[in-house]
Amino acid sequence: DHMQYLGSTLSAIAGEKAGILKPGVPSVVAPQAAAARDVIADRAAALDAVLALGGRAWTGTPHADRSGFTYRDTAADEASDWPAPGLLGPYQIDNAGMAVACARRLGDLAPSDRSIREGLAGALWPGRFHTLAPGELTARVPDGWKIWLDGGHNAEAGRALGAAVDAWT
């Protein structure tokens, strides 16, 4: 998205996005492809910004039964189990892991584990990989069918949606 502003390569886009990093300020970043990860890590190092990079400083690993995920903080050598995020799709485990990583780094401002759990389980993003509620449109499909709606608007969103559907079939 917005390639006219951000660039046409992953590393160029990562460079623009890394512009938000500030000297000495901790940052939490989701797992990234190598081209983006390297640019972000280099920018953080140049600014002396503390970087908690997904896949290195922390991980989110889904439970085999999809009931939740295990969050691991490599720096603290801690692991904890969390509920499945309310938002659907396998990629939401990384997003939920990043939310936990952010909360864990807020010090005295950190929400309680209970609040984090409630936030993860109750997250809702209308128009993003959800089923339509019963109504005039859903009444037109055969019994047992559902209509799914997703507002993804680029190729990567389409790939993520396809992977989510594949994971369920």
Side-chain angles (χ1 to χ4, degrees):
D1 291 352
H2 314 292
M3 289 191 311
Q4 70 271 29
Y5 304 110
L6 301 175
S8 59
T9 66
L10 191 54
S11 58
I13 293 167
E16 290 295 324
K17 299 271 185 166
I20 197 169
L21 298 174
K22 303 294 180 236
V25 176
S27 299
V28 178
V29 176
Q32 300 291 318
R37 181 189 61 232
D38 294 345
V39 169
I40 294 166
D42 288 349
R43 174 77 175 161
L47 293 171
D48 199 26
V50 178
L51 182 64
L53 185 59
R56 290 186 177 173
W58 61 270
T59 59
T61 306
H63 296 161
D65 65 359
R66 297 186 187 145
S67 64
F69 68 100
T70 299
Y71 170 81
R72 288 190 192 340
D73 187 316
T74 56
D77 196 25
E78 294 178 349
S80 52
D81 288 315
W82 296 86
L87 298 171
L88 301 177
Y91 51 89
Q92 292 297 351
I93 296 297
D94 282 338
N95 293 340
M98 189 166 66
V100 174
C102 288
R104 291 284 196 231
R105 285 162 173 80
L106 289 174
D108 293 341
L109 298 175
S112 68
D113 282 0
R114 179 179 178 198
S115 293
I116 297 168
R117 289 177 190 285
E118 289 173 0
L120 291 174
L124 176 66
W125 190 353
R128 188 50 61 108
F129 201 37
H130 81 267
T131 57
L132 291 183
E136 186 177 327
L137 183 58
T138 59
R140 296 177 184 199
V141 299
D143 287 342
W145 286 36
K146 294 180 181 179
I147 297 178
W148 288 85
L149 179 66
D150 188 272
H153 55 278
N154 58 33
E156 187 60 32
R159 284 189 286 277
L161 180 59
V165 170
D166 286 346
W168 281 354
T169 57

